[in-house]
Amino acid sequence: MTEMVYGTAPIRAGEPVLPRWWRTVDKWAMSCILMLFGVGLLLGLAASPPLAAKNGFDAFHYVERQVVFGTMALATMLVFSMMSPDLVRRLGVLGFFAAFAALALLPVFGTDFGKGAVRWYSLGFASVQPSEFLKPGFIVLAAWMMAAAQELNGPPGRAMSLGVALTVVLFLAFQPDFGQAALILFAWGVMYFVAGAPFLLLVGMAGAVVAGGTLAYEHSEHFARRIDGFLTPEIDPRTQLGYAVNAIQEGGFFGVGVGEGQVKWSLPDAHTDFIIAVAAEEYGLVLVAAIILLYAVIVIRSLFRLLRERDTFIRLAGTGLACTFAVQALINMGVAVKLLPAKGMTLPFVSYGGSSLIAGGITVGMLLALTRTRPQGEIGDILRLRGRA
């Protein structure tokens, strides 16, 4: 009866796990992720030696660490991509509560590494940023709540997910980490829109965000300083943003040449938050456009695959993961050219950072799992059958 109503896809009885995974996973998106990591290593070879020399390490100390963290991230991505949607949901919910507990304990056990915001746990050999792991868990939890709300006699999942989102944003604002807080609100808003939110309600929420930003500007020196720097028409050439903008201008279309860039000697975050400036200076607009294209392929292919899904949870969670992944990349690149205020956000799979890489592996692993081709999971089957009736 299910096949008569929803249609079906070919099922190969007794097919092993790995061949079935390879047949159903989005290989184009996965290839683009691997290429992004390769670009990150290439740029790390250029951007990290100056910082390594300054800190007394071997020239490629940070590149070697990025290889280790990246291998862990890619392995995590592959494991998650093989999971069923039910297992993704369970692990996502458990991961959210674990990351939220770690986030709540940051004021007691966390450190700011001299950057003015307590966002990390120092483990001696590495550091952990809970907010990076919180994002995919929150998206899965919120999608589960919203999907449950659409069931007959379901719970008030939309209101519950909003309460969770506001609680997380409040904790992030206290660090302060307004960039991650904005991503959480964005992810919730995208999923709420896909779930069928009234337009007027979304407009009201946008107004509430503006009011919250105004309040933060008036009471947070950290937030006000970044907004003032963004609104200032002139760029101080001695700031990180000034160095980055100048490097992008110097790079032109084809760049100044491999290893010839100078911005890496001036920017302390050249291998993390401003890695795109290194790419633009040494390789020019050509490499920057290629990086943007890789992100676009991952996100657009994922969204088109999700359009065929009839499972509400899969559509909501997949959309939230894909759009958040894209917006984080846009924010990072937008900051480097002063289209957005400084956020302190990494470029997924390109920037150096253990937490960022591994959390990114979890995010895209979940996305690949949710966008796999599966039997009886396409809205197109239903529409075709209705058209024949």
Side-chain angles (χ1 to χ4, degrees):
M1 180 63 70
T2 303
E3 293 179 3
M4 293 174 62
V5 176
Y6 295 114
T8 185
I11 301 175
R12 303 181 184 181
E15 187 177 15
V17 174
L18 285 178
R20 184 170 68 249
W21 167 79
W22 182 250
R23 180 171 56 85
T24 57
V25 75
D26 188 347
K27 290 178 277 292
W28 279 97
M30 189 165 59
S31 299
C32 289
I33 293 165
L34 294 175
M35 284 189 278
L36 281 174
F37 178 63
V39 170
L41 290 180
L42 175 67
L43 296 177
L45 289 170
S48 62
L51 181 64
K54 178 181 176 181
N55 293 333
F57 297 124
D58 293 335
F60 299 113
H61 170 80
Y62 292 105
V63 179
E64 293 169 358
R65 288 172 64 88
Q66 190 170 1
V67 170
V68 173
F69 290 133
T71 303
M72 295 170 61
L74 294 177
T76 302
M77 176 191 74
L78 293 176
V79 170
F80 270 87
S81 68
M82 296 180 187
M83 295 180 181
S84 66
D86 287 341
L87 185 54
V88 168
R89 185 182 67 238
R90 294 189 188 102
L91 291 181
V93 172
L94 291 175
F96 168 79
F97 286 111
F100 183 76
L103 183 73
L105 292 173
L106 273 175
V108 181
F109 302 105
T111 181
D112 63 355
F113 289 111
K115 297 185 178 181
V118 182
R119 303 176 184 175
W120 300 270
Y121 287 104
S122 178
L123 305 180
F125 60 92
S127 61
V128 177
Q129 186 176 355
S131 61
E132 291 285 356
F133 298 93
L134 188 73
K135 287 181 295 188
F138 166 77
I139 291 170
V140 170
L141 176 64
W144 180 38
M145 290 178 173
M146 292 183 190
Q150 298 188 14
E151 297 176 359
L152 186 64
N153 298 321
R158 294 180 180 180
M160 292 168 62
S161 64
L162 176 59
V164 174
L166 294 178
T167 302
V168 172
V169 167
L170 187 64
F171 274 87
L172 288 171
F174 278 128
Q175 291 187 3
D177 191 348
F178 296 104
Q180 299 290 0
L183 274 183
I184 291 292
L185 285 177
F186 170 80
W188 184 87
V190 166
M191 291 186 292
Y192 196 38
F193 176 77
V194 173
F199 181 73
L200 289 178
L201 180 60
L202 292 175
V203 172
M205 289 173 53
V209 170
V210 172
T214 303
L215 188 66
Y217 180 82
E218 294 175 351
H219 294 87
S220 172
E221 182 182 349
H222 176 84
F223 185 80
R225 185 169 59 250
R226 293 199 168 188
I227 295 298
D228 290 340
F230 171 69
L231 295 177
T232 302
E234 296 181 358
I235 301 176
D236 187 345
R238 297 167 298 179
T239 63
Q240 290 200 83
L241 182 59
Y243 290 126
V245 171
N246 181 69
I248 293 171
Q249 293 173 342
E250 291 291 330
F253 196 81
F254 294 106
V256 299
V258 180
E260 298 298 322
Q262 299 300 314
V263 70
K264 57 194 176 186
W265 297 99
S266 307
L267 281 174
D269 294 327
H271 64 318
T272 55
D273 298 352
F274 289 95
I275 191 73
I276 199 69
V278 177
E281 184 181 31
E282 297 202 358
Y283 298 91
L285 180 63
V286 174
L287 181 60
V288 175
I291 292 172
I292 294 173
L293 179 62
L294 291 175
Y295 283 115
V297 170
I298 295 168
V299 175
I300 293 173
R301 283 190 60 86
S302 297
L303 292 177
F304 270 102
R305 282 185 164 230
L306 290 167
L307 283 174
R308 299 193 296 265
E309 279 291 347
R310 66 179 178 86
D311 185 282
T312 304
F313 165 74
I314 293 176
R315 288 202 309 273
L316 295 178
T319 302
L321 291 167
C323 291
T324 303
F325 181 75
V327 167
Q328 180 169 339
L330 285 174
I331 289 175
N332 176 277
M333 290 184 279
V335 167
V337 294
K338 207 189 176 185
L339 288 177
L340 294 169
K343 295 289 185 183
M345 200 171 289
T346 58
L347 191 60
F349 282 97
V350 178
S351 295
Y352 170 84
S355 294
S356 174
L357 279 169
I358 296 174
I362 294 173
T363 299
V364 295
M366 288 180 170
L367 181 60
L368 289 171
L370 296 175
T371 55
R372 285 172 59 185
T373 304
R374 54 182 57 84
Q376 304 169 19
E378 297 186 352
I379 288 178
D381 294 331
I382 306 173
L383 298 178
R384 281 195 296 271
L385 286 171
R386 286 180 178 174
R388 296 171 188 169

